[in-house]
Amino acid sequence: MKHMFLKLTLGLLLITAPFACKQASSSKKAVTDTVEQRAERLLEQMTLKEKIGQMTQICFSEVTETRDKTLRLDEELFREVIAQYQVGSFLSGTGNAAEWKQFLEKVQKTAVEESRLGIPLLIAIDHVHGSNYIDEGTIFPHNILMSCSFDTSLMARAARVTARETAPLGLSWNFAPVMDLGKNPYWPRFYETFGEDPLVCGAMGAAFVRAYQAESKKFPSQSFACGKHFIGYSDPETGWDRTPADVSDQTMAEYFMPAFQQAIDAGLQTMMVNSGEVNGRPVHASKRLLDDLLRKRMNFEGVVVTDIKDIQKLVSMHGSAANLKEAVYHAVHAGIDMNMACSSFDFITHLNELVEEGRITEARIDRSVKRILALKIRLGLMEQATPDEAHASAIGAASHKTIAEQAAAESMVLLKNQDASLPLGGDVQKIGLAGFAAHSKRLLNGPWTYEWMGAKEERNPEDMPTIYTAMQEEFPKKEIRHLQVPDFTSSKEKAAFKQKAGACDALVITVGEELYSEFKGNIENLRIGEEHRKLVALAAETNTPVAVILIEGRPRVINDIHENANAILFAGYPGIRGGTAIAGLLSGRHMPSGKLSFSYPSSVGHFTNYYRKKSQTYDPLYAFGHGLSYTEFAYSNLQLSDTLIQDAETPVKARVTVTNTGDRDAKETVLWYIRDEVGQITRPMKMLKKFEKALIPAGESKTFTFEFIPGETLSYPDGTGEMLLEKGAFRLMVKGHEEKFYYR
Ligand code: BGC
C-alpha cells in the first residue's frame, strides 16, 4: 500500500511539475531508471543537430531586448534561437530576484515548448563570492580573503548561503570555485583564488563544492559547482591574464593538480578550461591535459566546458588553428563537452559538418551529450526547471548577512599593530577617516558584483554600510570625521588636510586598488598607486596614529606605507558587510584571526612563494601565515611520537600546546609544516601539511595534534605522478618550534 502511494505521488509530481521535460513526463519508466539509463534513452531519440545544440552555451545578452545582461527577454528572438539551434545552455544576467524569476520562467517554458524533446536549459551564472548577480544577494569576501580565514567550516557556511540564494531561482550551474593557485601576485585574477598553498586552496575549494552541492540538494531544482580554470592558468610568464605559461610536469603534479584533485574528490561534476596556453599548447586544444590528465589520470567523469568564446580564440588569440572549423575539431578532439560560444552559432554548423565528413564520429558527440544530459537529470531539471518561489524568499536574509560579516571579520589579516594602536581605545574620541574606499560600497563588494567589473556606486544596495557609516554605528559616542583626500598639487589643500587630521586622536586611511576583472587588471608595476602612498605619508606627518586598511585584490607593494603606518589591516574585497567587519575589528568587537594565505611581497620584481627552493631567497614584507591578534599565543611542548620512523604505514603523532596569554578569547590557526631535507627532485624549504583553527579562551591552553602516515605525508609526486618516498632527515615545524626526525 505504501509503495503504491509513493508511485502515485511521483506520477502526480511529474504531471504537475511546471514545464517538466516532455520525454521524462511521458514515460513512467524515467522515474525508476538510473541517471545513465535515462540519459541514454533520451540520447537515442535525438538527431545530430539536437545533440550539438546541447553542447552549445549562449550568453543571455544575445537574446535580451537591450542586448546586454538586463533581464528583459526578446521573446521572439529567443523562440527563434531555440527552434533553430536547440541550444542546451545559457549563461549570465543581472537583476533582482523577481526579475530573475520571471525571466527564467519564461526561458525554460519556451525552451521546453519550442524544442521537440522538451529538454530544459542548463542556466549558468558566476556566483563567485555569494549570489553576486542578484540585487538582494549576500555578497561574501572574494576568495583570496576567504582563504585567509583558514577555516573550511566558515567557507562551507558561505557556500551554503550561496546555494540557498542560487538554486531556488533555477540557476543550476555555478561557475565557482576557482581552483587556480594564487602564486603570482601580478596575475589580475589573484583575488579569485584561495592563495598560494595547494593544501589550503584544495581544502577551501573542496569545502565549497561539498557544502554548495549538498545544500542545493534541498531544493527541487539543484545547482552544481564548476571548478575552474583547468589547469596551469594562474602563473603566466608575464603575470598578465591569458598569456603563455610554461609549467613543468613536476610543478603540475606537485603544485597545480592537488587542489583540482581535492575538488574532484569532493564531488565536482563540471570543469571549465583554462583560456591560456600551457607549454606552447592552448589548453582548449590539449588532449594531453583534458583527456590524458583530467579524465584518465585524475578520474574526472563530469562535463568539461570551455571558457568564454575560447574555441574561437584558438584562431584569433592563439593562432593554433587556421580557421574556426579546425579550432572546433581541435577542441572536440581534445575533450571539451560544451562550448561557451556565447555569441556565435558557427560552432553548431562546423561540428555538424565535421561529423558528416567523418572527421569526428557521432559516438564522440554522444559521449559529451550523454554527460550533459546526465547532469541535467541529476540536477532534477527534468522534474523542475523553473524557479521555486517558496524558497527564493530567503535571498539576502538577515541571517545570511550575519554570516557575511563573520566571514569578512574572521578573514581580515592584521599585518601590523605597533604599540597596540588597535583596537581603538577609550582615549580616542575623534577618528579621522580618509582614502578612496572610506565611503564606498562598490569598493568593498569588489568586482564580479552585479556587473563583471563591479557596479556603479548607485547600483549597490541602499542599506549596505560603507566603512564610514559602519564606523558611525560602531562608535556612537565618538566623532567620525570623513576627511577628503587633498589634491596633492595644492599645498593649501595638503595643509588643510594635515590640520584636520592632526586634530584627530586616530586616523583610519583606506588605500588599495580600483576594481578590475581578468585582463582589465593587467599592470606593469605592483607598487601601490602614488596617491595612496602620499596620503599615508601626509597622515603620518601629523603624528596622529595611523591605521591603514588595504582594499585590494592582490598584494600591492606597500613598503613605505608599512613604515608610515602604526597598524595595517589587509581587507581584500570584503563584501556586503565588509564595512561592518572593519568597524568591528577597529573597535575590538571582532578579534582579528586571519592569516595570510599568500606571501606579501616586499619588491615589485622579485617574489617567491613560501615553498621556495633551497637556492632561492624568501624576503617578503609579510610571510605566508603571518597575522596578528589582539592577544598573544605562546607555543610550547612540541612533541613527536617517534623521531626514528621505521615504516611507511604506522601513523606518527605530533602535538603542541598553544596558550592564549592575553585577557581576551581569540581564535588561532595552527600551521604544521614539514621540510624534507634532501630530495632527488629538489624539495621546498617547507610545505604546509595541516592547518587547524580553534578558539582558545583567555588564559587557557589547547593541545593541537597532527597525525600523519609517513608513506603519504612524506612522499611527493614526480612529474609522471609516481609517488616518491625517500629515506633521510625531515623537520616538523610549527610557529618557531621544530623537531628533527628520520625515516630509515
Ligand atoms: C571567465 C570565467 C567565467 C566566464 C563566464 C570568463 O571570461 O574567465 O571565469 O566563468 O567568463 O562568465
Side-chain angles (χ1 to χ4, degrees):
M1 186 62 193
K2 202 172 159 199
H3 184 64
M4 207 176 109
F5 173 74
L6 190 70
K7 258 192 173 168
L8 275 174
T9 317
L10 281 174
L12 201 69
L13 270 181
L14 280 174
I15 293 159
T16 53
F19 327 125
C21 170
K22 289 173 196 167
Q23 189 272 346
S25 60
S26 65
S27 161
K28 276 188 206 133
K29 228 181 151 302
V31 181
T32 48
D33 282 351
T34 63
V35 169
E36 296 293 298
Q37 286 165 328
R38 284 177 73 182
E40 192 72 53
R41 286 189 318 105
L42 205 45
L43 189 64
E44 277 164 13
Q45 301 172 52
M46 292 171 81
T47 63
L48 176 62
K49 210 171 155 213
E50 284 167 338
K51 291 176 188 173
I52 294 174
Q54 288 297 317
M55 293 173 71
T56 308
Q57 187 179 59
I58 297 295
C59 291
F60 273 134
S61 50
E62 295 300 308
V63 291
T64 53
E65 279 173 8
T66 38
R67 299 294 187 271
D68 60 14
K69 289 184 182 172
T70 317
L71 301 171
R72 274 193 310 273
L73 191 67
D74 180 336
E75 293 184 38
E76 203 176 317
L77 177 64
F78 184 67
R79 210 171 285 278
E80 257 175 59
V81 165
I82 295 292
Q84 196 176 339
Y85 299 106
Q86 288 94 43
V87 172
S89 181
F90 278 81
L91 83 147
S92 292
T94 183
N96 65 40
E99 286 165 345
W100 267 116
K101 188 179 153 290
Q102 221 180 24
F103 182 82
L104 292 183
E105 250 163 21
K106 228 179 265 171
V107 300
Q108 289 292 23
K109 183 172 187 289
T110 309
V112 169
E113 283 176 0
E114 296 295 317
S115 58
R116 190 175 65 90
L117 293 167
I119 303 172
L121 299 170
L122 195 54
I123 313 284
I125 194 81
D126 290 286
H127 276 175
V128 293
H129 64 135
S131 56
N132 48 254
Y133 279 120
I134 303 174
D135 293 0
E136 303 89 334
T138 303
I139 313 298
F140 285 96
H142 266 290
N143 286 350
I144 194 64
L145 187 61
M146 283 301 300
S147 63
C148 291
S149 72
F150 280 86
D151 187 344
T152 51
S153 65
L154 188 60
M155 185 71 234
R157 290 182 78 192
R160 283 197 289 274
V161 168
T162 307
R164 253 177 259 147
E165 298 190 358
T166 304
L169 279 183
L171 294 163
S172 42
W173 196 5
N174 187 2
F175 288 154
V178 165
M179 299 306 300
D180 304 312
L181 211 57
K183 273 176 105 320
N184 185 337
Y186 269 98
W187 192 50
R189 307 194 70 169
F190 187 87
Y191 64 82
E192 295 183 59
T193 75
F194 292 115
E196 75 186 40
D197 181 73
L199 179 71
V200 176
C201 212
M204 296 299 273
F208 179 91
V209 170
R210 255 187 228 108
Y212 182 86
Q213 295 187 166
E215 185 69 15
S216 102
K217 273 210 176 88
K218 296 181 183 163
F219 304 100
S221 59
Q222 298 185 42
S223 188
F224 284 165
C226 178
K228 63 190 190 183
H229 309 79
F230 192 83
I231 192 171
Y233 184 29
S234 54
D235 195 17
E237 208 174 333
T238 62
W240 283 19
D241 189 32
R242 291 171 163 87
T243 57
D246 268 356
V247 183
S248 69
D249 287 350
Q250 184 60 32
T251 299
M252 201 59 110
E254 201 166 346
Y255 298 96
F256 286 101
M257 279 168 58
F260 281 99
Q261 189 69 64
Q262 277 203 59
I264 292 170
D265 296 345
L268 191 68
Q269 311 212 22
T270 72
M271 191 76 87
M272 191 186 293
V273 179
N274 162 11
S275 298
E277 65 170 75
V278 170
N279 303 339
R281 197 179 283 269
V283 184
H284 281 80
S286 174
K287 194 169 187 314
R288 186 165 182 255
L289 293 178
L290 297 185
D291 197 42
D292 299 346
L293 181 64
L294 179 61
R295 293 234 181 259
K296 303 205 174 89
R297 215 165 116 188
M298 298 175 76
N299 295 319
F300 179 72
E301 291 174 352
V303 170
V304 173
V305 62
T306 72
D307 200 343
I308 201 156
K309 302 182 184 178
D310 271 345
I311 298 189
Q312 291 97 306
K313 285 185 203 144
L314 292 177
V315 183
S316 60
M317 189 173 95
H318 297 290
S320 70
N323 53 51
L324 185 59
K325 186 168 168 184
E326 283 313 296
V328 171
Y329 174 77
H330 291 169
V332 174
H333 182 69
I336 69 103
D337 295 314
M338 187 185 286
N339 179 19
M340 196 193 295
C342 185
S343 53
S344 154
F345 299 94
D346 294 345
F347 167 76
I348 299 180
T349 319
H350 292 311
L351 191 51
N352 249 299
E353 284 169 12
L354 287 164
V355 176
E356 274 159 15
E357 289 160 12
R359 290 182 68 195
I360 290 179
T361 64
E362 192 156 348
R364 165 67 191 85
I365 300 295
D366 286 353
R367 280 202 294 282
S368 287
V369 179
K370 198 174 154 192
R371 285 188 198 114
I372 293 163
L373 294 174
L375 191 71
K376 291 188 173 186
I377 293 167
R378 253 181 249 122
L379 280 163
L381 277 177
M382 304 307 194
E383 283 73 36
Q384 171 147 354
T386 49
D388 162 27
E389 216 155 337
H391 294 98
S393 57
I395 295 171
S399 59
H400 294 180
K401 303 268 174 57
T402 306
I403 300 175
E405 180 179 341
Q406 187 195 358
E410 296 193 9
S411 299
M412 289 181 196
V413 189
L414 185 62
L415 297 171
K416 180 177 179 183
N417 196 14
Q418 192 182 308
D419 305 327
S421 50
L422 293 182
L424 299 170
D427 52 332
V428 172
Q429 278 312 311
K430 283 182 210 146
I431 307 171
L433 171 68
F436 83 135
H439 192 34
S440 160
K441 298 170 188 171
R442 69 184 185 90
L443 289 168
L444 299 177
N445 273 334
W448 298 94
T449 313
Y450 319 122
E451 302 284 344
W452 176 55
M453 288 271 286
K456 291 201 186 82
E457 193 62 21
E458 332 54 279
R459 178 76 199 279
N460 290 269
E462 218 168 300
D463 63 353
M464 174 184 166
T466 64
I467 299 176
Y468 179 48
T469 60
M471 280 177 68
Q472 286 176 319
E473 180 105 341
E474 188 78 33
F475 301 103
K477 298 213 174 96
K478 298 190 201 292
E479 190 188 330
I480 314 295
R481 293 185 177 175
H482 185 195
L483 311 175
Q484 290 307 319
V485 176
D487 171 354
F488 286 99
T489 59
S490 155
S491 40
K492 211 168 136 201
E493 282 199 28
K494 282 198 291 186
F497 177 87
K498 244 177 106 172
Q499 199 238 333
K500 283 186 208 149
C504 295
D505 304 317
L507 294 171
V508 175
I509 311 285
T510 61
V511 304
E513 27 174 33
E514 263 301 328
L515 306 186
Y516 53 88
S517 284
E518 304 183 39
F519 58 92
K520 299 273 190 185
N522 290 343
I523 47 170
E524 276 135 22
N525 192 338
L526 200 58
R527 194 175 306 284
I528 202 162
E530 204 183 349
E531 66 285 15
H532 298 281
R533 291 158 49 208
K534 282 186 176 162
L535 183 63
V536 178
L538 192 63
E541 283 177 25
T542 63
N543 289 326
T544 307
V546 177
V548 163
I549 314 288
L550 291 168
I551 304 289
E552 57 185 6
R554 59 194 147 193
R556 301 300 293 260
V557 170
I558 53 159
N559 295 359
D560 48 351
I561 289 180
H562 167 79
E563 297 297 325
N564 285 327
N566 301 73
I568 303 178
L569 183 73
F570 171 74
Y573 291 125
I576 200 153
R577 286 293 176 267
T580 322
I582 289 169
L585 284 162
L586 292 174
S587 73
R589 178 172 57 85
H590 288 302
M591 285 290 274
S593 67
K595 294 198 176 201
L596 286 179
S597 63
F598 55 91
S599 306
Y600 206 111
S602 57
S603 104
V604 296
H606 182 261
F607 45 84
T608 34
N609 300 116
Y610 85 84
Y611 38 85
R612 48 119 186 184
K613 299 296 183 69
K614 202 168 183 172
S615 56
Q616 289 176 310
T617 51
Y618 183 60
D619 57 354
L621 183 62
Y622 310 109
F624 174 88
H626 171 73
L628 306 170
S629 171
Y630 293 152
T631 186
E632 296 282 329
F633 295 103
Y635 283 57
S636 61
N637 202 20
L638 172 63
Q639 287 176 16
L640 198 58
S641 60
D642 208 343
T643 52
L644 206 61
I645 296 163
Q646 308 279 3
D647 74 81
E649 288 83 36
T650 313
V652 179
K653 292 177 189 158
R655 52 190 293 164
V656 71
T657 305
V658 183
T659 306
N660 179 348
T661 56
D663 55 8
R664 301 199 46 187
D665 300 352
K667 286 185 180 174
E668 169 68 338
T669 301
V670 173
L671 302 169
W672 295 93
Y673 298 92
I674 283 184
R675 179 191 302 174
D676 182 348
E677 301 270 350
V678 181
Q680 293 173 39
I681 295 172
T682 58
R683 299 292 74 225
M685 291 302 275
K686 61 179 189 179
M687 206 70 216
L688 187 69
K689 295 293 180 179
K690 183 184 175 179
F691 59 92
E692 186 181 354
K693 188 171 191 172
L695 181 78
I696 310 180
E700 291 189 18
S701 297
K702 186 177 158 49
T703 301
F704 288 80
T705 58
F706 170 37
E707 185 174 316
F708 62 91
I709 313 279
E712 289 168 10
T713 303
L714 304 182
S715 61
Y716 62 91
D718 72 3
T720 67
E722 284 298 313
M723 294 304 282
L724 299 178
L725 175 59
E726 295 176 305
K727 303 213 156 150
F730 295 84
R731 227 178 270 204
L732 176 72
M733 299 184 254
V734 63
K735 190 75 179 279
H737 296 252
E738 58 178 60
E739 195 63 48
K740 216 166 173 176
F741 65 98
Y742 302 86
Y743 175 61
R744 294 257 158 88

